[in-house]
Amino acid sequence: MKKIKVVQIGCGNMAKMTVSYALEKGAQIVGAVDNRPEIIGRDLGEVLGYDKKLGVTVSGDLAATLDTAYGDEKPNAQGKYNKFAIVTTTSLVNEVGATLKECARRGINTYTTCEEAHYPWLSAVTMAKEIDALAKEHGATITGGGYQDVFWGHEIVTLAGACHQITKIHGESRYNVDHYGIALALIHGAGFTTAEFEEKVAAPSRKTFQEFLVGMDEGTIEPGYSWTVNGWLAARLGLTIIDQVQECIPTFSPIDLYSSTLGRTIKAGDATGMINRATTKTAEGVEIVFDSIGSVYSPDDTDFNNWKIYGVPDCNVVNAEPATPEHTCATVVNRLIDLYAAPAGYITTNQLPPARYFASADSYVIEG
Amino acid sequence: MKKIKVVQIGCGNMAKMTVSYALEKGAQIVGAVDNRPEIIGRDLGEVLGYDKKLGVTVSGDLAATLDTAYGDEKPNAQGKYNKFAIVTTTSLVNEVGATLKECARRGINTYTTCEEAHYPWLSAVTMAKEIDALAKEHGATITGGGYQDVFWGHEIVTLAGACHQITKIHGESRYNVDHYGIALALIHGAGFTTAEFEEKVAAPSRKTFQEFLVGMDEGTIEPGYSWTVNGWLAARLGLTIIDQVQECIPTFSPIDLYSSTLGRTIKAGDATGMINRATTKTAEGVEIVFDSIGSVYSPDDTDFNNWKIYGVPDCNVVNAEPATPEHTCATVVNRLIDLYAAPAGYITTNQLPPARYFASADSYVIEG
């Protein structure tokens, strides 16, 4: 039995949780990497605001850290190494891809919180295949997701396992645009007039499945949070996708709403944000519709994660006010250990059983 | 690829669904058994109220049916047979045990809807071990549960996989006593005065863990629906049980309630039913409390399945108005095929991944 060795890549807010969760599970943090000059050279514990140093210095040199941090680890009988990485940097696979390749070519089993990494097989296909090839060659397992691994993925297929027939799966998950800064607010069209929303957000998103596939792979169209979820669900349920589109649908408030992020009041009738809807049709006749809803909240609004399976029988599930960042970080840390037993390659989590809970550090270990 | 061969044991209401679901999945129904003289010798389709005959005659002879129904099936490399049974008869393992043994000694992979069969390792231990030994000897996998497999089991542990730390798991699941006949209503104390409830229901259930273990194994104490659920969850989460008790707590209505099953009005202040609560303490410090709540409903009451995980972070899940019998039957049919790959023995579903959904009959097949 061995405690697992983890390098943390990206030392911001999410790392604060992933590192503390991993340490409490008994993992060894053997390295940390970030590209912000102001934290390079400092102790990771200090950077993350812990009350003690961790004896791990934040490095700006990814390759050097990955080369030396784990020491001289030998592969097990399946060719897997006690080398793990958590990557909490960006949201698109084409952006995080270079980092994942550095991990893959060193046999480092890696989980990234990159949202698109949840299921890049209908978007960043070229990059995902390149990572997959490197990972297979060097015995690494690379995956990603976070919150969606459980709440938009395994929770839903677990319930589907209690259904005889399914005609449609409809999910909706809501978050407050005011929590995520100005860039995200503008992408969501918060504060736009209906005409502005139509011109800048809705119209550019009207594409065919083929146009989406090409544009997303080339990086000219961004997959919304919903896009990867439908692909994941279809794959896990053994469904063949024949069409998939995403739409941007404005949301409105019946009253004027102040947005702290925009620093102004959104008038009733202007967009408070949008529904990013992915609609998938499958050869088996099962339709999947997922609405990820980001809007400036009125005082009564709360986060939710609601899904309905239509079939024999119908099935409803609601997660009220889910703690999205905490669940993401907990899932990443719980999952790492699964990667050691998984096949090498870019293995999206639809190919794995659900993440496990570890009640004690003693159980969070690998064989060998 | 082979279509699976299924014998249906018990040809009542649940069989109506399990047989139709299995047929729609492409399984072959090769036999049917019941002990009611009035249906023995009749066509199964007719007995179940289908609009066509199935060419399967209901037999009163379990052993003879199991000996001949499957034809001459050879075991695969793992010693497993294309022989399956669905058992929808009674709710206690000591009652269904003889039937499960007949299946086990013929290498028949069997799922029973028997509630206690979900996790008999803290109640009908002697019988479960006997079945387990026979099943191992003859290459059969025997399991049970139904609704609880997913909604009181895999759904909850799937969410636990997104938590870093858990201090307590609390579930509550409610059903209408008026839906299940007079025997169940009386066991639940529906219509009892508080004094009657205390004397007949609550007081006899005040036992220690050791008294429960001995009494349940001997058949002098019945495990409530909650009892097996806590054991399953603890086992799946890798927790060591140090104490478990069940309590019967009366439920009340602020107004008089008419009970169709009792055929009379329950006065405000008398018991409308009860909470069957199992409370489990574990060496790891995680407490599990599950309330299965059966009461005569007021017009506003609905079924629910609510769970809360307390920890880092907290996690809520609600299934509104779940279709319990349909989910049970769908789970049983979806699950059968998992038993072919599972180890031989009495393998409770905590040892398996969640049941899968099969979108088409083509995918509901076994290798070989």
Side-chain angles (χ1 to χ4, degrees), chain B residues 261-326:
Chain B
T261 297
L262 298 179
R264 69 176 176 87
T265 296
I266 301 173
K267 282 185 298 183
D270 287 348
T272 57
M274 72 160 175
I275 302 169
N276 177 256
R277 171 173 296 169
T279 302
T280 303
K281 298 201 186 305
T282 67
E284 293 79 7
V286 182
E287 186 182 36
I288 305 173
V289 180
F290 181 48
D291 293 334
S292 117
I293 311 168
S295 67
V296 174
Y297 276 15
S298 75
D300 296 339
D301 290 337
T302 53
D303 289 9
F304 57 68
N305 183 49
N306 297 350
W307 289 78
K308 181 158 183 175
I309 298 172
Y310 296 84
V312 179
D314 288 350
C315 182
N316 296 294
V317 66
V318 170
N319 303 112
E321 306 195 45
T324 312
E326 289 84 353

Coordinates of all heavy atoms in Angstrom, one line a residue, chain B residues 261-326:
Chain B
T261 N -58.2 1.7 3.9 CA -57.8 0.3 4.2 C -58.4 -0.1 5.6 O -58.9 -1.2 5.7 CB -56.3 0.2 4.3 OG1 -55.7 0.5 3.0 CG2 -55.8 -1.2 4.8
L262 N -58.4 0.8 6.6 CA -59.0 0.5 7.8 C -60.5 0.5 7.8 O -61.2 0.0 8.6 CB -58.5 1.4 8.9 CG -57.0 1.4 9.3 CD1 -56.7 2.4 10.4 CD2 -56.6 0.0 9.7
G263 N -61.0 1.3 6.8 CA -62.5 1.5 6.6 C -63.1 2.3 7.7 O -64.3 2.2 8.0
R264 N -62.3 3.2 8.3 CA -62.8 4.1 9.3 C -61.9 5.3 9.4 O -60.8 5.4 8.8 CB -62.8 3.4 10.7 CG -61.5 3.1 11.3 CD -61.7 2.4 12.7 NE -60.4 2.0 13.3 CZ -59.6 2.8 14.0 NH1 -59.9 4.1 14.2 NH2 -58.5 2.3 14.5
T265 N -62.4 6.3 10.2 CA -61.6 7.6 10.4 C -60.7 7.4 11.5 O -61.0 6.9 12.6 CB -62.6 8.7 10.6 OG1 -63.4 8.9 9.4 CG2 -61.9 10.0 10.9
I266 N -59.4 7.9 11.3 CA -58.4 7.9 12.4 C -58.6 9.3 13.0 O -58.4 10.3 12.4 CB -57.0 7.7 11.9 CG1 -56.9 6.3 11.2 CG2 -56.0 7.8 13.0 CD1 -55.5 6.1 10.5
K267 N -58.8 9.3 14.4 CA -59.0 10.6 15.0 C -57.6 11.3 15.2 O -56.6 10.7 15.4 CB -59.6 10.4 16.4 CG -61.1 10.1 16.4 CD -61.6 10.0 17.9 CE -61.0 8.9 18.6 NZ -61.5 8.7 20.0
A268 N -57.7 12.6 15.1 CA -56.5 13.5 15.3 C -56.0 13.1 16.7 O -56.7 12.9 17.7 CB -56.8 14.9 15.3
G269 N -54.7 12.8 16.8 CA -54.1 12.4 18.1 C -53.8 10.9 18.1 O -53.0 10.4 18.9
D270 N -54.5 10.1 17.3 CA -54.2 8.7 17.2 C -53.1 8.5 16.1 O -52.9 9.4 15.3 CB -55.4 7.8 16.9 CG -56.3 7.7 18.1 OD1 -55.9 8.1 19.2 OD2 -57.5 7.3 17.9
A271 N -52.4 7.4 16.1 CA -51.3 7.2 15.1 C -51.9 7.0 13.7 O -52.8 6.2 13.5 CB -50.5 6.0 15.6
T272 N -51.3 7.6 12.8 CA -51.6 7.4 11.3 C -50.7 6.4 10.7 O -50.9 6.0 9.6 CB -51.5 8.7 10.6 OG1 -50.2 9.2 10.7 CG2 -52.5 9.8 11.1
G273 N -49.7 6.0 11.4 CA -48.7 5.0 10.9 C -47.4 5.3 11.7 O -47.5 5.7 12.9
M274 N -46.3 5.0 11.1 CA -45.1 5.1 11.9 C -43.8 5.4 11.0 O -43.8 5.2 9.8 CB -44.8 3.9 12.7 CG -44.3 2.7 11.8 SD -43.5 1.5 12.9 CE -43.2 0.2 11.7
I275 N -42.9 6.0 11.7 CA -41.5 6.1 11.1 C -40.7 4.9 11.6 O -40.6 4.6 12.8 CB -40.8 7.3 11.6 CG1 -41.6 8.6 11.3 CG2 -39.4 7.4 11.1 CD1 -41.1 9.9 12.0
N276 N -40.3 4.0 10.7 CA -39.3 3.0 11.0 C -37.9 3.5 10.8 O -37.5 3.8 9.7 CB -39.6 1.7 10.1 CG -38.5 0.6 10.4 OD1 -37.6 0.5 9.7 ND2 -38.7 0.0 11.5
R277 N -37.3 3.8 11.9 CA -35.9 4.5 11.9 C -34.8 3.5 12.3 O -34.9 2.9 13.3 CB -35.9 5.7 12.9 CG -34.5 6.3 13.0 CD -34.6 7.5 13.9 NE -35.3 8.6 13.2 CZ -35.7 9.7 13.8 NH1 -35.5 10.0 15.0 NH2 -36.4 10.6 13.1
A278 N -33.9 3.4 11.4 CA -32.6 2.7 11.7 C -31.5 3.7 11.9 O -31.3 4.6 11.1 CB -32.3 1.7 10.6
T279 N -30.8 3.6 13.0 CA -29.7 4.5 13.3 C -28.4 3.6 13.5 O -28.4 2.7 14.3 CB -30.0 5.2 14.7 OG1 -31.2 5.9 14.5 CG2 -28.8 6.2 15.0
T280 N -27.4 4.0 12.7 CA -26.2 3.2 12.7 C -25.0 4.1 13.1 O -24.9 5.2 12.6 CB -25.9 2.7 11.3 OG1 -27.1 1.9 10.9 CG2 -24.7 1.8 11.2
K281 N -24.2 3.6 14.0 CA -22.9 4.3 14.3 C -21.8 3.5 13.8 O -21.8 2.2 13.8 CB -22.8 4.4 15.9 CG -24.0 5.3 16.4 CD -23.6 5.9 17.8 CE -24.8 6.6 18.3 NZ -25.4 7.7 17.4
T282 N -20.8 4.2 13.3 CA -19.6 3.5 12.7 C -18.3 3.9 13.4 O -18.2 5.0 14.0 CB -19.5 3.8 11.2 OG1 -19.2 5.2 11.0 CG2 -20.8 3.5 10.5
A283 N -17.3 3.0 13.3 CA -16.0 3.3 13.9 C -15.4 4.5 13.3 O -14.6 5.2 13.9 CB -15.1 2.1 13.7
E284 N -15.8 4.8 12.0 CA -15.2 6.0 11.3 C -15.9 7.3 11.7 O -15.5 8.4 11.1 CB -15.3 5.7 9.8 CG -14.4 4.6 9.3 CD -15.0 3.2 9.5 OE1 -16.2 3.2 10.0 OE2 -14.3 2.2 9.3
G285 N -16.9 7.2 12.5 CA -17.6 8.5 13.0 C -18.7 8.9 12.1 O -19.3 10.0 12.3
V286 N -19.0 8.2 11.1 CA -20.1 8.5 10.2 C -21.4 7.9 10.8 O -21.4 6.7 11.0 CB -19.9 8.0 8.8 CG1 -21.1 8.4 7.9 CG2 -18.6 8.5 8.2
E287 N -22.4 8.7 11.0 CA -23.7 8.2 11.5 C -24.7 8.1 10.3 O -24.7 8.9 9.4 CB -24.3 9.2 12.5 CG -25.6 8.6 13.2 CD -26.2 9.6 14.2 OE1 -26.1 10.8 14.0 OE2 -26.7 9.1 15.2
I288 N -25.4 7.0 10.3 CA -26.4 6.8 9.2 C -27.8 6.7 9.9 O -28.0 5.8 10.8 CB -26.1 5.6 8.4 CG1 -24.7 5.6 7.8 CG2 -27.1 5.5 7.2 CD1 -24.3 4.3 7.1
V289 N -28.7 7.5 9.5 CA -30.1 7.5 10.0 C -31.0 7.4 8.8 O -31.0 8.2 7.9 CB -30.4 8.7 10.8 CG1 -31.9 8.6 11.4 CG2 -29.5 8.9 12.0
F290 N -31.8 6.4 8.8 CA -32.8 6.3 7.7 C -34.2 6.1 8.2 O -34.4 5.2 9.1 CB -32.4 5.1 6.7 CG -33.4 5.0 5.6 CD1 -33.7 6.1 4.8 CD2 -33.9 3.8 5.2 CE1 -34.6 6.0 3.8 CE2 -34.8 3.6 4.2 CZ -35.2 4.8 3.4
D291 N -35.1 6.9 7.8 CA -36.5 6.9 8.2 C -37.4 6.4 7.1 O -37.5 7.1 6.1 CB -37.0 8.3 8.6 CG -36.3 8.8 9.9 OD1 -35.9 8.0 10.7 OD2 -36.2 10.0 10.0
S292 N -37.9 5.2 7.2 CA -38.9 4.8 6.2 C -40.3 5.1 6.8 O -40.6 4.6 7.9 CB -38.6 3.4 5.8 OG -39.6 2.5 6.1
I293 N -41.0 5.9 6.2 CA -42.2 6.5 6.8 C -43.5 6.0 6.1 O -43.7 6.4 5.0 CB -42.2 8.1 6.8 CG1 -40.8 8.6 7.2 CG2 -43.4 8.7 7.6 CD1 -40.6 10.1 6.9
G294 N -44.3 5.2 6.8 CA -45.5 4.6 6.3 C -46.7 5.2 7.1 O -46.8 4.9 8.3
S295 N -47.6 5.9 6.4 CA -48.7 6.5 7.1 C -49.9 6.7 6.2 O -49.7 6.7 5.0 CB -48.3 7.9 7.7 OG -48.1 8.8 6.7
V296 N -51.1 6.8 6.8 CA -52.3 7.1 6.1 C -52.2 8.6 5.7 O -51.9 9.4 6.5 CB -53.5 6.8 6.9 CG1 -54.8 7.3 6.2 CG2 -53.6 5.3 7.3
Y297 N -52.3 8.8 4.4 CA -52.1 10.2 3.9 C -53.3 11.1 4.0 O -54.4 10.7 3.9 CB -51.7 10.1 2.4 CG -50.3 9.8 2.0 CD1 -49.4 9.3 3.0 CD2 -49.8 10.0 0.7 CE1 -48.1 9.0 2.7 CE2 -48.5 9.7 0.4 CZ -47.6 9.2 1.4 OH -46.3 8.9 1.1
S298 N -53.0 12.4 4.3 CA -53.9 13.4 4.1 C -53.9 13.8 2.6 O -53.0 13.4 1.9 CB -53.6 14.6 5.0 OG -52.5 15.3 4.4
P299 N -54.9 14.5 2.1 CA -55.0 14.8 0.7 C -53.7 15.5 0.1 O -53.4 15.3 -1.0 CB -56.2 15.7 0.5 CG -57.1 15.3 1.7 CD -56.1 15.0 2.8
D300 N -53.0 16.2 1.0 CA -51.8 16.9 0.5 C -50.5 16.1 0.5 O -49.5 16.5 0.0 CB -51.6 18.1 1.4 CG -52.7 19.1 1.4 OD1 -53.5 19.1 0.3 OD2 -52.9 19.9 2.3
D301 N -50.6 14.9 1.2 CA -49.3 14.2 1.3 C -48.9 13.5 0.0 O -49.8 13.0 -0.8 CB -49.5 13.1 2.4 CG -49.5 13.7 3.8 OD1 -49.1 14.9 3.9 OD2 -50.1 13.1 4.7
T302 N -47.6 13.4 -0.3 CA -47.1 12.7 -1.5 C -45.9 11.9 -1.1 O -45.3 12.1 0.0 CB -46.7 13.7 -2.6 OG1 -45.7 14.6 -2.0 CG2 -47.8 14.5 -3.2
D303 N -45.6 10.9 -1.9 CA -44.4 10.1 -1.7 C -43.2 10.9 -2.0 O -43.2 11.8 -2.8 CB -44.4 8.9 -2.7 CG -45.5 7.8 -2.4 OD1 -46.3 8.1 -1.5 OD2 -45.4 6.8 -3.0
F304 N -42.1 10.6 -1.3 CA -40.9 11.3 -1.5 C -39.7 10.4 -1.1 O -39.9 9.4 -0.4 CB -40.8 12.7 -0.9 CG -40.9 12.7 0.6 CD1 -40.0 12.1 1.5 CD2 -42.0 13.2 1.2 CE1 -40.1 12.1 2.8 CE2 -42.2 13.2 2.6 CZ -41.3 12.6 3.4
N305 N -38.5 10.7 -1.6 CA -37.3 10.1 -1.2 C -36.3 11.2 -1.0 O -35.8 11.7 -2.0 CB -36.9 9.0 -2.2 CG -35.6 8.3 -1.8 OD1 -35.6 7.8 -0.7 ND2 -34.6 8.2 -2.7
N306 N -36.0 11.6 0.2 CA -35.2 12.7 0.5 C -33.9 12.3 1.3 O -34.1 11.6 2.3 CB -35.9 13.8 1.4 CG -37.1 14.4 0.8 OD1 -37.4 14.2 -0.4 ND2 -37.9 15.1 1.6
W307 N -32.8 12.7 0.8 CA -31.6 12.3 1.5 C -30.7 13.6 1.7 O -30.7 14.5 0.9 CB -30.8 11.3 0.8 CG -31.4 9.9 0.8 CD1 -32.5 9.5 0.0 CD2 -31.0 8.8 1.6 NE1 -32.8 8.2 0.3 CE2 -31.9 7.8 1.2 CE3 -30.1 8.6 2.6 CZ2 -31.8 6.5 1.8 CZ3 -30.0 7.4 3.1 CH2 -30.9 6.3 2.8
K308 N -30.1 13.6 2.9 CA -29.1 14.7 3.1 C -27.8 14.1 3.6 O -27.8 13.3 4.5 CB -29.6 15.7 4.1 CG -28.6 16.9 4.3 CD -29.2 18.2 4.8 CE -28.1 19.2 4.9 NZ -28.6 20.5 5.2
I309 N -26.7 14.5 2.9 CA -25.4 14.1 3.4 C -24.8 15.3 4.1 O -24.8 16.4 3.5 CB -24.5 13.7 2.2 CG1 -25.1 12.4 1.5 CG2 -23.1 13.4 2.7 CD1 -24.3 12.1 0.3
Y310 N -24.4 15.2 5.4 CA -23.8 16.3 6.1 C -22.3 16.1 6.1 O -21.8 15.0 6.4 CB -24.3 16.2 7.6 CG -25.8 16.5 7.8 CD1 -26.7 15.4 7.7 CD2 -26.3 17.7 8.1 CE1 -28.0 15.6 7.8 CE2 -27.6 17.9 8.2 CZ -28.5 16.9 8.1 OH -29.8 17.1 8.3
G311 N -21.6 17.1 5.6 CA -20.2 16.9 5.5 C -19.5 18.1 4.9 O -20.0 19.3 5.0
V312 N -18.4 17.8 4.2 CA -17.7 18.8 3.4 C -17.8 18.4 1.9 O -17.1 17.5 1.5 CB -16.2 18.9 3.8 CG1 -15.5 20.0 3.0 CG2 -16.1 19.3 5.3
P313 N -18.7 19.0 1.1 CA -19.8 19.9 1.5 C -21.0 19.1 1.9 O -21.0 17.9 1.7 CB -20.0 20.8 0.3 CG -19.7 19.8 -0.8 CD -18.6 18.9 -0.4
D314 N -22.0 19.8 2.4 CA -23.4 19.1 2.5 C -23.9 18.8 1.1 O -23.5 19.4 0.1 CB -24.4 20.0 3.2 CG -24.1 20.2 4.7 OD1 -23.3 19.5 5.2 OD2 -24.7 21.1 5.2
C315 N -24.8 17.8 1.0 CA -25.4 17.5 -0.3 C -26.8 17.0 -0.1 O -27.1 16.2 0.8 CB -24.5 16.4 -0.9 SG -25.1 15.9 -2.5
N316 N -27.7 17.6 -0.8 CA -29.1 17.3 -0.7 C -29.6 16.6 -2.0 O -29.2 17.0 -3.1 CB -30.0 18.5 -0.6 CG -29.8 19.3 0.6 OD1 -30.0 18.8 1.7 ND2 -29.2 20.5 0.5
V317 N -30.5 15.6 -1.8 CA -31.1 15.0 -3.0 C -32.6 14.7 -2.7 O -32.9 14.2 -1.6 CB -30.4 13.8 -3.6 CG1 -30.4 12.7 -2.6 CG2 -30.9 13.4 -4.9
V318 N -33.4 15.0 -3.6 CA -34.9 14.7 -3.5 C -35.4 14.0 -4.7 O -35.2 14.5 -5.8 CB -35.7 16.0 -3.3 CG1 -37.2 15.8 -3.3 CG2 -35.3 16.7 -1.9
N319 N -36.1 12.9 -4.6 CA -36.8 12.3 -5.6 C -38.3 12.5 -5.3 O -38.8 11.9 -4.3 CB -36.5 10.8 -5.8 CG -35.1 10.5 -6.0 OD1 -34.4 10.0 -5.2 ND2 -34.5 10.9 -7.1
A320 N -39.0 13.3 -6.1 CA -40.4 13.6 -5.8 C -41.2 12.5 -6.4 O -41.0 12.1 -7.5 CB -40.8 14.9 -6.3
E321 N -42.2 12.0 -5.6 CA -43.2 11.0 -6.1 C -42.6 9.9 -7.0 O -43.0 9.7 -8.1 CB -44.3 11.7 -6.9 CG -44.9 12.9 -6.0 CD -46.2 13.4 -6.6 OE1 -47.1 12.5 -7.0 OE2 -46.4 14.6 -6.6
P322 N -41.6 9.2 -6.4 CA -41.0 8.1 -7.2 C -42.0 7.0 -7.4 O -42.9 6.7 -6.6 CB -39.9 7.6 -6.3 CG -40.3 8.0 -4.9 CD -41.1 9.3 -5.0
A323 N -41.9 6.4 -8.6 CA -42.8 5.3 -9.0 C -42.2 4.0 -8.5 O -41.6 3.2 -9.3 CB -43.0 5.2 -10.5
T324 N -42.4 3.7 -7.2 CA -41.6 2.6 -6.5 C -41.8 1.3 -7.2 O -40.7 0.6 -7.5 CB -42.0 2.5 -5.1 OG1 -42.0 3.9 -4.5 CG2 -41.1 1.6 -4.3
P325 N -43.0 0.7 -7.5 CA -43.1 -0.6 -8.1 C -42.4 -0.7 -9.4 O -41.7 -1.6 -9.8 CB -44.6 -0.9 -8.1 CG -45.2 0.1 -7.2 CD -44.3 1.3 -7.2
E326 N -42.7 0.3 -10.3 CA -42.1 0.3 -11.6 C -40.6 0.4 -11.6 O -39.9 -0.3 -12.3 CB -42.6 1.5 -12.4 CG -44.1 1.4 -12.9 CD -45.0 1.9 -11.8 OE1 -44.6 2.2 -10.6 OE2 -46.2 2.0 -12.1

